[in-house]
Amino acid sequence: MLDKRYPAEPFRIKSVETVKMNTRAEREEIAKKAGYNTFLINSEDVYIDLLTDSGTNAMSDKQWGGLMQGDEAYAGSRNWFHLESTVQELFGFKHVIPTHQGRGAENILGHIAIKPGQYVPGNMYFTTTRFHQEANGGIFRDIIIDEAHDATINLPFKGNVDLKKVQALIDEVGAENIAYLCVAVTVNLAGGQPVSMQNLRDVSALCKKHGIKMFMDATRCVENAYFIQEREPEFKDTPIKDIVHEMFSYADGCTMSGKKDCLTNIGGFLCMNDDDLYMSAREWVVVYEGMPSYGGMAGRDMEAMAIGLRESMQEEYIEHRIKQVRYLGDRLLEAGVPIVEPVGGHAVFLDARRFCPHLTQDQLPAQALAAQLYIDSGVRSMERGIVSAGRDKVTGEDHHPKLETVRLTIPRRVYTYAHMDLVADSVIDLYKNKEEIKGLKWVYEPKMLRFFTGRFEHI
Ligand SMILES: Cc1ncc(COP(=O)(O)O)c(C=O)c1O
């Protein structure tokens, strides 16, 4: 199939779900009713759903088998012990706290590790992550390398932390005023860009020198491991599982959204080595999530997660995953469509600034582009630009991120190369008629995480 750069699916399809295609006139009406927010379009009205890779994974026969073995006891479910020991083995952390999804883990970490007024440096913000840091009194500081904010610069590890920025923050505020340092692998809003093992080693050494804890946002850690194997010569023969293990060996703990690299539809967890932090997390988990032996997940979901985590570290799985995303990116690049380069792990990001040069950032080009792509082709994507960035907590002004993008996020094991072709053709067609994309303005702006439920109309 195709050429060697794009390996065929390493699975057979056993169960299918049909999708329907509305007419363009219907989609125009649907988009208008949804306030031009792709989050507010019903799934039934979507032909190819690239809104997110979160919770949209297809599970394997083994995972579905695991669902039937759910132990739904309120306390001490055997599936929890399976999940706990799997995470301890694969990630190497001493303690695991289950949560309903990643943001549940972020909330608990904020409660136990941030004192109001402390800084939380991170390699580019993520929406829910920064929200929980700020909600717990933290002040986010971006420490990613400058190149990550430029869609056109092609670097192998564009998610890396800039050590000079970390040192400058330490000099400015003092290590005691830094709650912890958060390293995301891969970096979602930079375009799914990886962090190198060398950078993790260096960041860890700097943190240790100053007594600062280092937590990782582990959400897409297996995808990051693939890039390390592919791009860091030292790791070219190292199994993915061992790379993942080494990555986490440099951290004090992590938050995990199980809805991505655990190949499940719901769930998450928080890990740490420190016994006191763990005891404190056990107290908070019962407040927000549930018993420390389920944390908001059903027994069956924990079973599926334990199985999925192992499957995600199979070499053929992760190679196909990364290369399928790259296939879509390569098709767009060949046609001259502006995207964030290089193509990252979970998605292809359209560069809305260059796609819609006729719109200013305040005319919400990425939001408008995502809406128009849906109208044109039934393909659903997501804005990741000024709308997602929200407002500054102190000044109330809009953040103006340098990256104004539309994310075409590929669910794991769900779509084929033929679907990627359809998406590529739709985007290329729209690019030829880009002047038809009209700017948008807010008609309803929620105060928190506004991109989820905000509404817009044409200017
Ligand atoms: C990098 C990153 N961190 C955290 C989260 C939050 O996870 P969840 O959606 O499971 O709450 C996400 C979700 O998209 C993410 O991409």
Side-chain angles (χ1 to χ4, degrees):
M1 119 124 250
L2 301 165
D3 66 44
K4 285 207 195 102
R5 285 176 299 163
Y6 312 116
E9 286 74 14
F11 48 80
R12 298 190 286 195
I13 297 167
K14 192 179 292 209
S15 174
V16 297
E17 186 184 350
T18 48
V19 286
K20 81 167 195 245
M21 176 75 133
N22 293 313
T23 63
R24 188 192 162 100
E26 285 167 337
R27 290 195 300 271
E28 245 166 51
E29 203 42 43
I30 290 163
K32 194 167 170 203
K33 255 172 84 190
Y36 298 101
N37 185 347
T38 52
F39 278 98
L40 300 180
I41 296 170
N42 293 345
S43 163
E44 293 240 302
D45 292 320
V46 174
Y47 183 48
I48 296 184
D49 203 349
L50 307 188
L51 181 72
T52 176
D53 63 329
S54 181
T56 53
N57 300 312
M59 292 206 293
S60 68
D61 49 355
K62 295 196 180 56
Q63 287 177 290
W64 282 101
L67 289 187
M68 290 306 291
Q69 292 168 34
D71 169 1
E72 306 305 343
Y74 189 83
S77 159
R78 69 172 168 266
N79 310 117
W80 160 244
F81 297 115
H82 183 197
L83 176 60
E84 183 188 41
S85 60
T86 304
V87 175
Q88 284 167 332
E89 178 201 322
L90 296 176
F91 285 25
F93 292 115
K94 189 168 169 197
H95 303 297
V96 189
I97 295 278
T99 59
H100 75 286
Q101 54 185 83
R103 68 200 69 182
E106 291 167 348
N107 181 34
I108 295 174
L109 180 61
H111 273 73
I112 62 175
I114 300 175
K115 293 197 198 87
Q118 281 188 320
Y119 285 80
V120 191
N123 50 344
M124 199 173 272
Y125 89 100
F126 182 72
T127 54
T128 59
T129 317
R130 186 178 67 193
F131 179 88
H132 284 296
Q133 290 163 354
E134 290 177 346
N136 285 291
I139 304 163
F140 171 78
R141 183 67 72 85
D142 190 4
I143 48 155
I144 202 165
I145 55 170
D146 285 341
E147 291 88 339
H149 291 280
D150 185 331
T152 63
I153 297 178
N154 194 325
L155 284 180
F157 291 105
K158 219 173 154 182
N160 275 355
V161 170
D162 184 337
L163 294 158
K164 291 192 291 307
K165 289 186 186 172
V166 181
Q167 187 61 56
L169 181 65
I170 296 170
D171 295 343
E172 180 192 332
V173 304
E176 67 285 4
N177 290 316
I178 296 178
Y180 58 90
L181 185 145
C182 178
V183 185
V185 292
T186 57
V187 185
N188 187 349
L189 297 192
Q193 304 296 340
V195 177
S196 70
M197 192 73 90
Q198 192 53 51
N199 192 245
L200 291 175
R201 289 172 181 156
D202 295 342
V203 177
S204 170
L206 185 59
C207 284
K208 282 208 173 75
K209 182 172 157 205
H210 293 277
I212 299 167
K213 283 205 168 9
M214 169 174 157
F215 276 83
M216 275 158 65
D217 181 339
T219 297
R220 296 182 182 84
C221 59
V222 188
E223 292 171 2
N224 199 98
Y226 183 82
F227 288 113
I228 289 178
Q229 190 189 59
E230 184 182 56
R231 298 176 183 174
E232 249 176 316
E234 180 189 341
F235 294 96
K236 78 176 186 352
D237 298 318
T238 311
I240 291 293
K241 189 165 167 266
D242 296 350
I243 296 177
V244 170
H245 203 272
E246 181 173 338
M247 284 163 58
F248 288 121
S249 72
Y250 300 115
D252 295 287
C254 72
T255 55
M256 179 70 169
S257 167
K259 303 172 72 175
K260 284 84 166 175
D261 273 358
C262 294
L263 295 174
T264 44
N265 305 118
I266 195 70
F269 51 85
L270 169 65
C271 297
M272 70 279 288
N273 289 326
D274 186 280
D275 296 334
D276 293 336
L277 274 184
Y278 171 63
M279 289 316 289
S280 172
R282 271 177 76 91
E283 290 178 16
W284 281 110
V285 75
V286 294
V287 176
Y288 288 110
E289 307 285 319
M291 281 292 282
S293 63
Y294 75 87
M297 286 184 277
R300 54 181 171 269
D301 293 327
M302 295 191 282
E303 189 62 25
M305 186 180 282
I307 299 168
L309 203 45
R310 266 186 215 287
E311 287 181 0
S312 74
M313 295 188 198
Q314 289 164 359
E315 309 285 321
E316 319 77 59
Y317 156 76
I318 190 65
E319 182 186 7
H320 168 265
R321 159 71 179 157
I322 299 293
K323 292 189 173 171
Q324 188 188 42
V325 175
R326 192 172 294 165
Y327 175 75
L328 174 61
D330 287 350
R331 281 231 36 214
L332 294 178
L333 281 173
E334 277 159 23
V337 176
I339 64 171
V340 174
E341 289 186 68
V343 176
H346 65 307
V348 174
F349 286 67
L350 304 177
D351 181 356
R353 286 181 189 274
R354 284 183 290 152
F355 205 113
C356 308
H358 57 293
L359 299 178
T360 66
Q361 193 169 27
D362 291 316
Q363 293 172 327
L364 318 180
Q367 189 73 34
L369 172 52
Q372 194 60 41
L373 180 62
Y374 169 75
I375 292 170
D376 260 27
S377 60
V379 173
R380 168 154 72 172
S381 57
M382 181 195 289
E383 191 267 5
R384 295 272 81 156
I386 187 169
V387 173
S388 295
R391 290 178 181 274
D392 186 286
K393 203 134 198 269
V394 179
T395 65
E397 294 295 313
D398 274 328
H399 288 293
H400 281 85
K402 288 204 181 113
L403 289 176
E404 177 72 24
T405 64
V406 169
R407 194 180 74 180
L408 300 164
T409 339
I410 316 301
R412 296 171 185 77
R413 304 194 292 206
V414 172
Y415 292 116
T416 63
Y417 285 95
H419 290 109
M420 298 301 109
D421 278 331
L422 189 139
V423 173
D425 292 341
S426 306
V427 174
I428 293 164
D429 268 1
L430 179 56
Y431 188 57
K432 287 183 191 142
N433 301 304
K434 51 186 183 295
E435 294 74 26
E436 77 185 56
I437 301 168
K438 294 196 213 82
L440 294 171
K441 62 179 188 210
W442 288 94
V443 288
Y444 163 58
E445 184 188 341
K447 290 195 184 60
M448 291 173 286
L449 297 174
R450 61 187 186 174
F451 56 95
F452 282 124
T453 53
R455 302 183 70 85
F456 309 86
E457 67 185 18
H458 283 134
I459 293 168

